[in-house]
Amino acid sequence: MSHSWKYSEQRERIEEFLDDENRLDWQNFSVPEDDPMEFEDKNDLRQQLYQQVGQANVVVVVAGMYVSHSEWIEEEIEMADHFEKPIIGVRPNGNERLPAVVKEEADEIVGWRQKSIVNAIAKHA
């Protein structure tokens, strides 16, 4: 799950949606703020993220407009493309606009509803 730490509550809410769904057996490869990766430089971080995206079956991107200003979220989207991983964009409540990179790269964009998110993940995973 790609996200910005500044908006961790959105990531946590999606995790709750997935935990509450019995038909999904899922594993979270995102990096929580309270357990950050240790890395020597940007290249080392890039390699660690590359490994995590490679393990995922699907990449979920919380598609707030901050994505347009996040180098790392855009790189994770590029990594998902490299590995041919499906990308699910989740439109946060109240967002009318989506970042261009999410609109262009997402295999599916869903609203902020548990059923929509779970169905998209199950469909693409």
Side-chain angles (χ1 to χ4, degrees), residues 1 11 14-21 24-30 121:
M1 197 171 329
R11 174 190 48 83
I14 291 176
E15 289 173 3
E16 290 172 11
F17 285 165
L18 301 179
D19 284 340
D20 290 344
E21 179 56 51
L24 285 183
D25 181 21
W26 74 285
Q27 184 174 355
N28 189 352
F29 292 106
S30 68
I121 292 170

Short mmCIF file of all heavy atoms in Angstrom, two decimals, residues 1 11 14-21 24-30 121:
data_model
loop_
_atom_site.label_atom_id
_atom_site.label_comp_id
_atom_site.label_asym_id
_atom_site.label_seq_id
_atom_site.Cartn_x
_atom_site.Cartn_y
_atom_site.Cartn_z
N MET A 1 0.85 -1.16 0.00
CA MET A 1 0.00 0.00 0.00
C MET A 1 0.89 1.23 0.00
O MET A 1 1.68 1.43 0.91
CB MET A 1 -0.89 -0.03 1.24
CG MET A 1 -2.04 0.87 1.16
SD MET A 1 -3.23 0.65 2.50
CE MET A 1 -3.12 -1.05 2.94
N ARG A 11 -4.18 5.12 5.30
CA ARG A 11 -3.61 3.78 5.14
C ARG A 11 -4.16 2.86 6.23
O ARG A 11 -4.56 1.73 5.96
CB ARG A 11 -2.08 3.81 5.22
CG ARG A 11 -1.46 2.41 5.21
CD ARG A 11 0.03 2.44 5.53
NE ARG A 11 0.40 3.24 6.68
CZ ARG A 11 0.34 2.81 7.94
NH1 ARG A 11 -0.07 1.60 8.23
NH2 ARG A 11 0.71 3.59 8.94
N ILE A 14 -7.72 1.73 5.50
CA ILE A 14 -7.79 0.69 4.47
C ILE A 14 -7.34 -0.65 5.07
O ILE A 14 -7.93 -1.69 4.79
CB ILE A 14 -6.96 1.06 3.24
CG1 ILE A 14 -7.63 2.23 2.52
CG2 ILE A 14 -6.82 -0.14 2.30
CD1 ILE A 14 -6.85 2.76 1.34
N GLU A 15 -6.33 -0.63 5.92
CA GLU A 15 -5.90 -1.86 6.59
C GLU A 15 -7.06 -2.45 7.40
O GLU A 15 -7.27 -3.66 7.39
CB GLU A 15 -4.71 -1.59 7.51
CG GLU A 15 -3.43 -1.31 6.76
CD GLU A 15 -2.29 -0.87 7.68
OE1 GLU A 15 -2.47 -0.85 8.92
OE2 GLU A 15 -1.21 -0.56 7.15
N GLU A 16 -7.81 -1.61 8.09
CA GLU A 16 -8.97 -2.08 8.85
C GLU A 16 -10.01 -2.69 7.91
O GLU A 16 -10.59 -3.74 8.22
CB GLU A 16 -9.60 -0.93 9.64
CG GLU A 16 -8.75 -0.45 10.80
CD GLU A 16 -9.30 0.81 11.44
OE1 GLU A 16 -10.45 1.21 11.14
OE2 GLU A 16 -8.57 1.42 12.25
N PHE A 17 -10.26 -2.05 6.78
CA PHE A 17 -11.20 -2.59 5.79
C PHE A 17 -10.78 -4.01 5.40
O PHE A 17 -11.60 -4.92 5.32
CB PHE A 17 -11.22 -1.74 4.52
CG PHE A 17 -11.93 -0.43 4.61
CD1 PHE A 17 -11.74 0.52 3.62
CD2 PHE A 17 -12.80 -0.12 5.65
CE1 PHE A 17 -12.39 1.75 3.66
CE2 PHE A 17 -13.46 1.09 5.71
CZ PHE A 17 -13.25 2.04 4.70
N LEU A 18 -9.48 -4.19 5.14
CA LEU A 18 -8.99 -5.48 4.67
C LEU A 18 -8.98 -6.52 5.79
O LEU A 18 -9.28 -7.69 5.56
CB LEU A 18 -7.60 -5.33 4.06
CG LEU A 18 -7.52 -4.37 2.86
CD1 LEU A 18 -6.10 -4.29 2.35
CD2 LEU A 18 -8.48 -4.76 1.76
N ASP A 19 -8.64 -6.09 7.00
CA ASP A 19 -8.65 -7.01 8.14
C ASP A 19 -10.06 -7.52 8.43
O ASP A 19 -10.22 -8.66 8.88
CB ASP A 19 -8.10 -6.32 9.40
CG ASP A 19 -6.59 -6.18 9.39
OD1 ASP A 19 -5.92 -6.91 8.64
OD2 ASP A 19 -6.09 -5.32 10.15
N ASP A 20 -11.06 -6.68 8.20
CA ASP A 20 -12.45 -7.04 8.49
C ASP A 20 -13.07 -7.92 7.40
O ASP A 20 -14.19 -8.39 7.56
CB ASP A 20 -13.31 -5.78 8.65
CG ASP A 20 -12.98 -5.03 9.93
OD1 ASP A 20 -12.33 -5.62 10.82
OD2 ASP A 20 -13.36 -3.85 10.04
N GLU A 21 -12.35 -8.14 6.32
CA GLU A 21 -12.89 -8.92 5.20
C GLU A 21 -12.35 -10.35 5.25
O GLU A 21 -11.15 -10.57 5.10
CB GLU A 21 -12.49 -8.26 3.88
CG GLU A 21 -12.96 -8.98 2.66
CD GLU A 21 -14.46 -9.20 2.62
OE1 GLU A 21 -15.22 -8.24 2.80
OE2 GLU A 21 -14.87 -10.36 2.40
N LEU A 24 -10.36 -12.23 2.10
CA LEU A 24 -9.01 -11.84 1.69
C LEU A 24 -7.98 -12.33 2.69
O LEU A 24 -8.12 -12.13 3.88
CB LEU A 24 -8.87 -10.32 1.58
CG LEU A 24 -9.48 -9.62 0.40
CD1 LEU A 24 -9.16 -8.12 0.47
CD2 LEU A 24 -9.00 -10.18 -0.92
N ASP A 25 -6.96 -12.97 2.18
CA ASP A 25 -5.79 -13.30 2.98
C ASP A 25 -4.69 -12.38 2.46
O ASP A 25 -4.14 -12.62 1.40
CB ASP A 25 -5.42 -14.78 2.78
CG ASP A 25 -4.21 -15.19 3.60
OD1 ASP A 25 -3.90 -14.51 4.59
OD2 ASP A 25 -3.57 -16.19 3.24
N TRP A 26 -4.43 -11.33 3.18
CA TRP A 26 -3.55 -10.30 2.64
C TRP A 26 -2.36 -10.04 3.55
O TRP A 26 -2.38 -10.33 4.73
CB TRP A 26 -4.34 -9.02 2.40
CG TRP A 26 -4.69 -8.27 3.65
CD1 TRP A 26 -5.64 -8.58 4.56
CD2 TRP A 26 -4.07 -7.07 4.12
NE1 TRP A 26 -5.67 -7.66 5.58
CE2 TRP A 26 -4.71 -6.73 5.33
CE3 TRP A 26 -3.05 -6.27 3.65
CZ2 TRP A 26 -4.35 -5.60 6.06
CZ3 TRP A 26 -2.69 -5.15 4.37
CH2 TRP A 26 -3.34 -4.82 5.56
N GLN A 27 -1.33 -9.49 2.94
CA GLN A 27 -0.14 -9.09 3.68
C GLN A 27 0.21 -7.67 3.25
O GLN A 27 0.18 -7.35 2.06
CB GLN A 27 1.02 -10.02 3.37
CG GLN A 27 2.26 -9.72 4.18
CD GLN A 27 3.36 -10.76 3.95
OE1 GLN A 27 3.18 -11.75 3.27
NE2 GLN A 27 4.50 -10.50 4.53
N ASN A 28 0.55 -6.85 4.20
CA ASN A 28 0.84 -5.45 3.94
C ASN A 28 2.35 -5.26 3.80
O ASN A 28 3.10 -5.54 4.73
CB ASN A 28 0.30 -4.60 5.09
CG ASN A 28 0.36 -3.13 4.81
OD1 ASN A 28 0.93 -2.68 3.83
ND2 ASN A 28 -0.25 -2.36 5.69
N PHE A 29 2.78 -4.74 2.65
CA PHE A 29 4.19 -4.47 2.42
C PHE A 29 4.51 -2.98 2.53
O PHE A 29 5.62 -2.57 2.19
CB PHE A 29 4.62 -5.00 1.04
CG PHE A 29 4.60 -6.49 0.95
CD1 PHE A 29 3.61 -7.14 0.26
CD2 PHE A 29 5.58 -7.25 1.58
CE1 PHE A 29 3.59 -8.52 0.17
CE2 PHE A 29 5.56 -8.64 1.50
CZ PHE A 29 4.57 -9.26 0.79
N SER A 30 3.55 -2.17 2.98
CA SER A 30 3.84 -0.74 3.13
C SER A 30 4.77 -0.51 4.32
O SER A 30 4.98 -1.39 5.15
CB SER A 30 2.55 0.06 3.30
OG SER A 30 1.94 -0.22 4.53
N ILE A 121 -9.33 -5.33 -5.16
CA ILE A 121 -8.14 -6.12 -4.81
C ILE A 121 -8.36 -7.59 -5.17
O ILE A 121 -7.51 -8.22 -5.79
CB ILE A 121 -7.78 -5.96 -3.32
CG1 ILE A 121 -7.29 -4.53 -3.07
CG2 ILE A 121 -6.72 -6.97 -2.90
CD1 ILE A 121 -7.14 -4.19 -1.60
#
